[in-house]
Amino acid sequence: MADVESQAESKLVPAGQVSTWLTENGFDHESLNPDVNGVEIIKVASDFLLPTATALYAYGFNYLQFQGGIDLGPGQDLVSVYHLIKVSSDADKPAEVRIKVFLPRENPVVPSVYWIWRTADWQERESYDMFGIIYEGHPNLKRILMPEDWVGWPLRKDYISPDFYELQDAY
């Protein structure tokens, strides 16, 4: 019995500074293992992304450095990832945190953070175009890299490339 408890405890991820702050303020989330650089990673449900993102903005994370998509594999979830930084004039090493929102492959819908960080504009459009993740509330969610009539999401791991794509009116 003690072995089972010690194994369960060894799998627990210690809460980082941001996770602790979110917990103290009543925001539902889950701490994931930090990345290789020690950046704290937080898992948030789609329904709680906007309240959590707004709170993190108020907490000082005023810069969305990166937003992107990840495909965990055929039949598995898609992930919308947000890398936030506290930018200030007196910080030697700004605080960083990464948010991951796991979405079902069949209906990958998540609220847009465009209204919090305007830098999400083109980044969310790219994630939509390549992975098919729908960002609700985005002011101009349309294809950005692929032609408007392209079928499918090219960066999904189960995507089957067409044999050809006919360029219409190319000359």
Coordinates of all heavy atoms in Angstrom, one line a residue, residues 33-112:
N33 N 4.1 19.1 -16.1 CA 5.5 19.2 -15.9 C 6.1 20.4 -16.6 O 5.7 20.7 -17.8 CB 6.2 17.9 -16.4 CG 6.0 16.7 -15.5 OD1 6.0 16.9 -14.3 ND2 5.7 15.6 -16.1
P34 N 7.0 21.1 -16.0 CA 7.6 22.2 -16.7 C 8.4 21.7 -17.9 O 8.8 20.6 -18.0 CB 8.5 22.9 -15.7 CG 8.6 21.9 -14.6 CD 7.5 20.9 -14.7
D35 N 8.7 22.7 -18.9 CA 9.4 22.3 -20.1 C 10.9 22.2 -19.7 O 11.3 22.4 -18.6 CB 9.2 23.2 -21.2 CG 9.8 24.6 -21.1 OD1 10.5 24.8 -20.1 OD2 9.6 25.4 -22.0
V36 N 11.8 21.9 -20.7 CA 13.2 21.6 -20.4 C 13.9 22.9 -19.9 O 14.9 22.8 -19.3 CB 13.9 21.1 -21.7 CG1 13.4 19.7 -22.1 CG2 13.8 22.1 -22.9
N37 N 13.3 24.1 -20.2 CA 13.9 25.3 -19.7 C 13.3 25.8 -18.4 O 13.6 26.8 -17.9 CB 13.7 26.4 -20.7 CG 14.4 26.1 -22.0 OD1 15.5 25.7 -22.1 ND2 13.7 26.4 -23.1
G38 N 12.4 24.9 -17.8 CA 11.8 25.2 -16.5 C 10.6 26.1 -16.6 O 10.2 26.6 -15.5
V39 N 10.1 26.4 -17.8 CA 8.9 27.2 -17.9 C 7.7 26.4 -17.4 O 7.4 25.3 -17.8 CB 8.7 27.7 -19.4 CG1 7.4 28.4 -19.5 CG2 9.8 28.5 -19.8
E40 N 6.9 27.1 -16.5 CA 5.7 26.4 -15.9 C 4.7 26.3 -17.0 O 4.4 27.2 -17.8 CB 5.2 27.4 -14.8 CG 4.1 26.8 -14.0 CD 3.7 27.7 -12.8 OE1 4.4 28.7 -12.6 OE2 2.7 27.4 -12.2
I41 N 4.0 25.1 -17.0 CA 3.0 24.8 -18.0 C 1.7 24.5 -17.2 O 1.7 23.7 -16.3 CB 3.4 23.6 -18.9 CG1 4.7 23.9 -19.6 CG2 2.2 23.3 -19.8 CD1 5.2 22.7 -20.4
I42 N 0.6 25.1 -17.7 CA -0.7 25.0 -17.0 C -1.7 24.5 -18.0 O -1.8 25.0 -19.1 CB -1.1 26.4 -16.4 CG1 -0.1 26.8 -15.3 CG2 -2.5 26.3 -15.9 CD1 -0.3 28.2 -14.8
K43 N -2.5 23.5 -17.6 CA -3.6 23.0 -18.4 C -4.9 23.7 -18.0 O -5.2 23.7 -16.8 CB -3.7 21.5 -18.3 CG -4.8 20.9 -19.1 CD -4.8 19.4 -18.8 CE -6.0 18.7 -19.5 NZ -6.0 17.2 -19.2
V44 N -5.6 24.2 -18.9 CA -6.8 24.9 -18.6 C -7.9 24.4 -19.6 O -7.7 24.2 -20.7 CB -6.7 26.5 -18.9 CG1 -8.0 27.2 -18.6 CG2 -5.6 27.0 -17.9
A45 N -9.1 24.2 -19.0 CA -10.2 23.8 -19.9 C -10.7 24.9 -20.8 O -10.5 26.1 -20.4 CB -11.4 23.3 -19.0
S46 N -11.2 24.6 -21.9 CA -11.6 25.6 -22.9 C -12.6 26.7 -22.2 O -12.4 27.9 -22.5 CB -12.3 25.0 -24.1 OG -12.7 25.9 -25.0
D47 N -13.5 26.2 -21.4 CA -14.5 27.1 -20.8 C -13.8 28.1 -19.8 O -14.4 29.1 -19.5 CB -15.5 26.3 -20.0 CG -16.4 25.5 -21.0 OD1 -16.4 25.8 -22.2 OD2 -17.1 24.5 -20.5
F48 N -12.6 27.8 -19.3 CA -12.0 28.6 -18.3 C -10.8 29.4 -18.9 O -10.1 30.1 -18.2 CB -11.5 27.8 -17.1 CG -12.6 27.1 -16.4 CD1 -12.7 25.7 -16.4 CD2 -13.6 27.8 -15.7 CE1 -13.8 25.1 -15.8 CE2 -14.6 27.2 -15.1 CZ -14.7 25.8 -15.1
L49 N -10.6 29.3 -20.2 CA -9.5 30.0 -20.8 C -9.6 31.5 -20.7 O -8.6 32.2 -20.2 CB -9.3 29.6 -22.3 CG -8.2 30.4 -23.0 CD1 -6.8 30.1 -22.4 CD2 -8.2 30.1 -24.5
L50 N -10.7 32.1 -21.0 CA -10.8 33.6 -21.0 C -10.7 34.1 -19.6 O -10.0 35.1 -19.3 CB -12.1 34.0 -21.6 CG -12.1 34.0 -23.2 CD1 -13.4 34.6 -23.7 CD2 -10.9 34.8 -23.7
P51 N -11.4 33.6 -18.6 CA -11.2 34.1 -17.2 C -9.7 33.9 -16.7 O -9.2 34.8 -16.1 CB -12.1 33.3 -16.3 CG -13.1 32.6 -17.3 CD -12.5 32.6 -18.6
T52 N -9.1 32.8 -17.0 CA -7.7 32.5 -16.6 C -6.8 33.5 -17.3 O -5.9 34.1 -16.7 CB -7.3 31.1 -16.9 OG1 -8.3 30.2 -16.2 CG2 -5.9 30.8 -16.4
A53 N -7.0 33.7 -18.6 CA -6.1 34.5 -19.4 C -6.3 36.0 -19.0 O -5.3 36.7 -18.8 CB -6.4 34.4 -20.9
T54 N -7.5 36.4 -18.7 CA -7.7 37.8 -18.2 C -7.0 38.0 -16.8 O -6.4 39.0 -16.6 CB -9.2 38.0 -18.1 OG1 -9.8 37.8 -19.3 CG2 -9.5 39.5 -17.6
A55 N -7.1 37.0 -16.0 CA -6.5 37.1 -14.7 C -4.9 37.1 -14.8 O -4.3 37.9 -14.1 CB -6.9 35.9 -13.8
L56 N -4.4 36.3 -15.7 CA -2.9 36.3 -15.9 C -2.5 37.7 -16.5 O -1.4 38.2 -16.2 CB -2.5 35.2 -16.8 CG -2.6 33.8 -16.1 CD1 -2.3 32.7 -17.1 CD2 -1.6 33.7 -15.0
Y57 N -3.3 38.3 -17.4 CA -3.0 39.6 -17.9 C -3.0 40.6 -16.8 O -2.0 41.4 -16.7 CB -4.0 40.0 -19.0 CG -3.7 41.3 -19.6 CD1 -2.8 41.4 -20.6 CD2 -4.3 42.5 -19.1 CE1 -2.5 42.7 -21.2 CE2 -4.0 43.7 -19.7 CZ -3.1 43.8 -20.7 OH -2.8 45.0 -21.3
A58 N -4.0 40.6 -15.9 CA -4.0 41.5 -14.7 C -2.8 41.2 -13.8 O -2.3 42.1 -13.1 CB -5.3 41.3 -14.0
Y59 N -2.4 40.0 -13.7 CA -1.2 39.6 -12.9 C 0.1 40.0 -13.4 O 1.1 40.0 -12.8 CB -1.3 38.0 -12.7 CG -0.3 37.4 -11.8 CD1 -0.2 37.8 -10.4 CD2 0.6 36.4 -12.2 CE1 0.7 37.2 -9.6 CE2 1.5 35.8 -11.3 CZ 1.6 36.2 -10.0 OH 2.5 35.7 -9.2
G60 N 0.1 40.5 -14.7 CA 1.3 41.1 -15.3 C 1.8 40.4 -16.5 O 2.7 40.9 -17.1
F61 N 1.1 39.3 -17.0 CA 1.5 38.7 -18.2 C 1.0 39.5 -19.4 O -0.1 39.1 -19.9 CB 1.1 37.2 -18.2 CG 1.9 36.4 -17.3 CD1 1.5 36.1 -16.0 CD2 3.2 35.9 -17.7 CE1 2.3 35.3 -15.1 CE2 4.0 35.1 -16.8 CZ 3.5 34.9 -15.5
N62 N 1.7 40.5 -19.8 CA 1.1 41.5 -20.7 C 1.6 41.2 -22.2 O 1.2 42.0 -23.1 CB 1.6 42.9 -20.3 CG 3.1 43.0 -20.1 OD1 3.8 42.1 -20.3 ND2 3.5 44.2 -19.8
Y63 N 2.3 40.1 -22.4 CA 2.8 39.8 -23.7 C 2.6 38.4 -24.1 O 3.0 37.5 -23.4 CB 4.3 40.2 -23.8 CG 4.9 39.9 -25.2 CD1 4.4 40.4 -26.3 CD2 6.1 39.1 -25.2 CE1 5.0 40.2 -27.6 CE2 6.7 38.8 -26.5 CZ 6.2 39.4 -27.6 OH 6.7 39.1 -28.8
L64 N 1.8 38.2 -25.2 CA 1.6 36.8 -25.8 C 2.7 36.7 -26.8 O 2.7 37.2 -27.9 CB 0.2 36.7 -26.4 CG 0.0 35.4 -27.2 CD1 -0.1 34.2 -26.3 CD2 -1.4 35.6 -28.0
Q65 N 3.7 35.9 -26.4 CA 4.9 35.7 -27.3 C 4.5 34.7 -28.4 O 5.0 34.9 -29.5 CB 6.1 35.2 -26.5 CG 7.3 35.0 -27.4 CD 8.5 34.4 -26.6 OE1 8.3 33.5 -25.9 NE2 9.7 35.0 -26.8
F66 N 3.7 33.7 -28.1 CA 3.5 32.7 -29.1 C 2.1 32.1 -28.8 O 1.7 31.9 -27.7 CB 4.5 31.6 -28.9 CG 4.2 30.3 -29.6 CD1 4.4 30.1 -30.9 CD2 3.7 29.2 -28.8 CE1 4.1 28.9 -31.5 CE2 3.4 28.0 -29.4 CZ 3.6 27.9 -30.8
Q67 N 1.4 31.8 -29.9 CA 0.2 31.0 -29.8 C 0.3 30.0 -31.0 O 0.6 30.4 -32.1 CB -1.1 31.8 -29.9 CG -2.4 31.1 -29.8 CD -2.8 30.2 -30.9 OE1 -2.6 30.6 -32.1 NE2 -3.3 29.0 -30.7
G68 N 0.0 28.8 -30.7 CA 0.1 27.8 -31.8 C -0.7 26.6 -31.5 O -1.4 26.5 -30.5
G69 N -0.7 25.6 -32.4 CA -1.5 24.4 -32.3 C -0.5 23.2 -32.3 O 0.6 23.2 -32.8
I70 N -1.0 22.1 -31.7 CA -0.3 20.8 -31.6 C -1.3 19.8 -31.9 O -2.5 19.8 -31.4 CB 0.3 20.6 -30.2 CG1 1.3 21.7 -29.8 CG2 1.0 19.2 -30.2 CD1 1.8 21.6 -28.4
D71 N -1.0 18.8 -32.7 CA -1.8 17.6 -32.9 C -1.1 16.4 -32.2 O 0.0 16.1 -32.5 CB -1.9 17.3 -34.4 CG -2.8 16.1 -34.7 OD1 -3.2 15.4 -33.8 OD2 -3.1 15.9 -35.9
L72 N -1.8 15.8 -31.2 CA -1.2 14.7 -30.4 C -1.2 13.4 -31.2 O -0.7 12.4 -30.7 CB -1.9 14.6 -29.1 CG -1.8 15.8 -28.2 CD1 -2.6 15.6 -26.9 CD2 -0.3 16.1 -27.9
G73 N -1.8 13.4 -32.4 CA -1.9 12.2 -33.2 C -3.3 11.8 -33.6 O -4.2 12.3 -33.0
P74 N -3.4 10.9 -34.6 CA -4.7 10.5 -35.1 C -5.6 10.0 -34.0 O -5.1 9.1 -33.2 CB -4.4 9.4 -36.1 CG -3.0 9.7 -36.6 CD -2.3 10.3 -35.4
G75 N -6.8 10.5 -33.9 CA -7.7 10.0 -32.9 C -7.5 10.7 -31.5 O -8.3 10.4 -30.6
Q76 N -6.5 11.5 -31.4 CA -6.2 12.1 -30.1 C -6.6 13.6 -30.2 O -7.0 14.2 -31.2 CB -4.7 11.9 -29.7 CG -4.4 10.5 -29.5 CD -2.9 10.3 -29.1 OE1 -2.5 11.1 -28.2 NE2 -2.3 9.4 -29.7
D77 N -6.4 14.3 -29.0 CA -6.7 15.7 -28.9 C -5.8 16.6 -29.8 O -4.7 16.3 -30.1 CB -6.6 16.2 -27.5 CG -7.7 15.6 -26.6 OD1 -8.8 15.2 -27.2 OD2 -7.6 15.7 -25.4
L78 N -6.4 17.8 -30.1 CA -5.6 18.9 -30.6 C -5.3 19.8 -29.4 O -6.1 19.8 -28.4 CB -6.4 19.7 -31.6 CG -6.7 18.9 -32.9 CD1 -7.6 19.7 -33.8 CD2 -5.5 18.5 -33.6
V79 N -4.3 20.6 -29.4 CA -3.9 21.5 -28.3 C -3.7 22.9 -28.8 O -2.9 23.1 -29.8 CB -2.6 21.0 -27.5 CG1 -2.3 21.8 -26.3 CG2 -2.8 19.5 -27.1
S80 N -4.3 23.9 -28.1 CA -4.0 25.3 -28.4 C -3.1 25.7 -27.3 O -3.4 25.6 -26.1 CB -5.3 26.1 -28.4 OG -5.0 27.4 -28.8
V81 N -1.9 26.3 -27.7 CA -0.8 26.6 -26.7 C -0.6 28.1 -26.7 O -0.6 28.7 -27.8 CB 0.5 25.9 -27.1 CG1 1.6 26.3 -26.1 CG2 0.3 24.4 -27.2
Y82 N -0.4 28.7 -25.5 CA -0.2 30.1 -25.4 C 1.0 30.3 -24.5 O 1.1 29.7 -23.4 CB -1.4 30.8 -24.7 CG -2.7 30.5 -25.4 CD1 -3.4 29.3 -25.1 CD2 -3.2 31.4 -26.3 CE1 -4.6 29.0 -25.8 CE2 -4.4 31.1 -27.0 CZ -5.1 29.9 -26.7 OH -6.2 29.6 -27.3
H83 N 2.0 31.0 -25.0 CA 3.2 31.3 -24.2 C 3.2 32.8 -23.8 O 3.3 33.7 -24.6 CB 4.5 31.0 -25.0 CG 5.7 31.0 -24.1 ND1 6.2 29.9 -23.5 CD2 6.6 32.1 -23.8 CE1 7.3 30.3 -22.8 NE2 7.5 31.6 -23.0
L84 N 3.1 33.0 -22.5 CA 2.9 34.4 -22.0 C 4.2 34.8 -21.2 O 4.9 34.0 -20.6 CB 1.8 34.4 -21.0 CG 0.4 33.9 -21.5 CD1 -0.6 33.9 -20.4 CD2 0.0 34.7 -22.7
I85 N 4.5 36.1 -21.3 CA 5.6 36.7 -20.6 C 5.2 38.0 -19.9 O 4.4 38.8 -20.4 CB 6.8 37.0 -21.7 CG1 7.2 35.7 -22.4 CG2 7.9 37.7 -21.0 CD1 8.3 36.0 -23.4
K86 N 5.9 38.2 -18.8 CA 5.7 39.5 -18.1 C 6.8 40.4 -18.6 O 8.0 40.2 -18.2 CB 5.9 39.3 -16.6 CG 4.7 38.8 -15.8 CD 5.0 38.8 -14.3 CE 3.8 38.4 -13.5 NZ 4.0 38.4 -12.1
V87 N 6.5 41.4 -19.4 CA 7.4 42.3 -19.9 C 7.4 43.6 -19.1 O 6.4 44.2 -18.8 CB 7.1 42.7 -21.4 CG1 8.1 43.7 -21.9 CG2 7.2 41.4 -22.3
S88 N 8.6 43.9 -18.6 CA 8.8 45.2 -17.8 C 10.2 45.7 -18.0 O 11.0 45.0 -18.5 CB 8.5 45.0 -16.3 OG 9.5 44.1 -15.8
S89 N 10.4 47.0 -17.7 CA 11.6 47.6 -18.0 C 12.7 47.2 -17.1 O 13.9 47.4 -17.3 CB 11.5 49.1 -18.1 OG 11.0 49.6 -16.8
D90 N 12.4 46.7 -15.9 CA 13.4 46.4 -14.9 C 13.6 44.9 -14.6 O 14.3 44.5 -13.7 CB 13.0 47.1 -13.6 CG 11.7 46.6 -13.0 OD1 10.9 46.0 -13.8 OD2 11.5 46.8 -11.8
A91 N 13.1 44.1 -15.5 CA 13.2 42.6 -15.3 C 14.5 42.1 -16.0 O 14.6 42.3 -17.2 CB 12.0 41.9 -15.8
D92 N 15.4 41.4 -15.3 CA 16.5 40.8 -15.9 C 16.1 39.5 -16.7 O 16.5 39.3 -17.8 CB 17.6 40.4 -14.9 CG 18.2 41.6 -14.2 OD1 18.2 42.7 -14.9 OD2 18.8 41.4 -13.1
K93 N 15.2 38.7 -16.0 CA 14.7 37.5 -16.6 C 13.2 37.5 -16.4 O 12.7 37.3 -15.3 CB 15.3 36.3 -16.0 CG 14.8 35.0 -16.7 CD 15.5 33.8 -16.1 CE 15.2 32.5 -16.8 NZ 13.9 32.3 -17.2
P94 N 12.4 37.9 -17.4 CA 11.0 38.0 -17.3 C 10.3 36.7 -16.9 O 10.8 35.6 -17.4 CB 10.5 38.5 -18.6 CG 11.6 38.8 -19.5 CD 12.8 38.2 -18.8
A95 N 9.3 36.7 -16.1 CA 8.5 35.5 -15.8 C 7.8 35.0 -17.1 O 7.3 35.8 -17.9 CB 7.5 35.8 -14.7
E96 N 7.7 33.7 -17.2 CA 7.1 33.1 -18.3 C 6.1 32.0 -17.8 O 6.4 31.4 -16.8 CB 8.1 32.4 -19.3 CG 9.1 33.3 -19.8 CD 10.2 32.6 -20.7 OE1 9.8 32.2 -21.8 OE2 11.3 32.4 -20.2
V97 N 5.1 31.8 -18.6 CA 4.2 30.6 -18.3 C 3.6 30.2 -19.7 O 3.4 31.0 -20.6 CB 3.1 31.0 -17.3 CG1 2.1 32.1 -17.9 CG2 2.3 29.8 -16.8
R98 N 3.3 28.9 -19.7 CA 2.7 28.4 -21.0 C 1.3 27.8 -20.6 O 1.2 27.1 -19.6 CB 3.6 27.3 -21.6 CG 3.1 26.9 -23.0 CD 4.2 26.2 -23.7 NE 5.4 26.9 -23.8 CZ 6.6 26.5 -23.4 NH1 6.8 25.3 -23.0 NH2 7.7 27.2 -23.5
I99 N 0.3 28.1 -21.3 CA -1.1 27.6 -21.1 C -1.4 26.6 -22.2 O -1.1 26.9 -23.4 CB -2.1 28.7 -21.1 CG1 -1.9 29.7 -20.0 CG2 -3.5 28.1 -21.0 CD1 -2.8 30.9 -20.1
K100 N -1.9 25.4 -21.9 CA -2.3 24.5 -22.9 C -3.8 24.2 -22.7 O -4.3 23.9 -21.6 CB -1.5 23.2 -22.8 CG -0.1 23.3 -23.2 CD 0.6 22.0 -23.2 CE 2.0 22.1 -23.8 NZ 2.7 20.8 -23.9
V101 N -4.5 24.2 -23.8 CA -6.0 23.9 -23.8 C -6.1 22.7 -24.7 O -5.9 22.8 -25.9 CB -6.8 25.1 -24.3 CG1 -8.3 24.7 -24.3 CG2 -6.5 26.3 -23.5
F102 N -6.5 21.5 -24.1 CA -6.7 20.3 -24.9 C -8.1 20.3 -25.5 O -9.1 20.5 -24.7 CB -6.5 19.1 -24.0 CG -5.0 19.0 -23.6 CD1 -4.5 19.8 -22.6 CD2 -4.2 18.0 -24.3 CE1 -3.1 19.6 -22.3 CE2 -2.9 17.9 -23.9 CZ -2.3 18.7 -22.9
L103 N -8.3 20.0 -26.8 CA -9.5 20.1 -27.5 C -9.9 18.8 -28.2 O -9.0 18.2 -28.7 CB -9.5 21.3 -28.5 CG -9.1 22.6 -27.9 CD1 -8.7 23.6 -29.0 CD2 -10.3 23.2 -27.1
P104 N -11.1 18.4 -28.2 CA -11.5 17.2 -28.9 C -11.3 17.4 -30.4 O -11.6 18.5 -31.0 CB -13.0 17.0 -28.6 CG -13.5 18.3 -28.2 CD -12.3 19.1 -27.6
R105 N -10.8 16.4 -31.1 CA -10.5 16.5 -32.5 C -11.7 16.7 -33.3 O -11.7 17.4 -34.4 CB -9.8 15.1 -32.9 CG -9.3 15.1 -34.3 CD -8.6 13.7 -34.5 NE -7.5 13.9 -35.4 CZ -6.3 14.3 -35.1 NH1 -6.1 14.7 -33.9 NH2 -5.4 14.5 -36.0
E106 N -12.9 16.2 -32.9 CA -14.1 16.3 -33.7 C -14.7 17.7 -33.7 O -15.3 18.1 -34.6 CB -15.2 15.3 -33.2 CG -14.8 13.9 -33.2 CD -13.8 13.5 -32.0 OE1 -14.0 14.1 -30.9 OE2 -12.9 12.7 -32.3
N107 N -14.5 18.5 -32.6 CA -15.0 19.8 -32.4 C -14.1 20.7 -31.7 O -14.3 21.1 -30.5 CB -16.4 19.7 -31.8 CG -17.1 21.1 -31.8 OD1 -16.8 21.9 -32.6 ND2 -18.0 21.3 -30.8
P108 N -12.9 21.1 -32.3 CA -11.9 21.8 -31.5 C -12.3 23.3 -31.5 O -11.8 24.1 -32.3 CB -10.7 21.6 -32.4 CG -11.2 21.4 -33.7 CD -12.5 20.7 -33.6
V109 N -13.0 23.7 -30.5 CA -13.5 25.1 -30.4 C -13.0 25.7 -29.0 O -13.1 25.0 -28.0 CB -15.0 25.2 -30.4 CG1 -15.5 26.6 -30.2 CG2 -15.6 24.6 -31.7
V110 N -12.4 26.9 -29.1 CA -11.8 27.5 -27.9 C -12.1 29.0 -28.1 O -12.1 29.5 -29.3 CB -10.3 27.2 -27.8 CG1 -9.5 27.7 -28.9 CG2 -9.8 27.7 -26.5
P111 N -12.3 29.8 -27.0 CA -12.5 31.2 -27.2 C -11.2 31.9 -27.7 O -10.1 31.5 -27.3 CB -12.8 31.7 -25.8 CG -13.0 30.5 -25.0 CD -12.4 29.3 -25.7
S112 N -11.3 32.9 -28.4 CA -10.2 33.7 -28.9 C -9.7 34.6 -27.8 O -10.5 35.2 -27.0 CB -10.6 34.6 -30.1 OG -9.6 35.5 -30.5

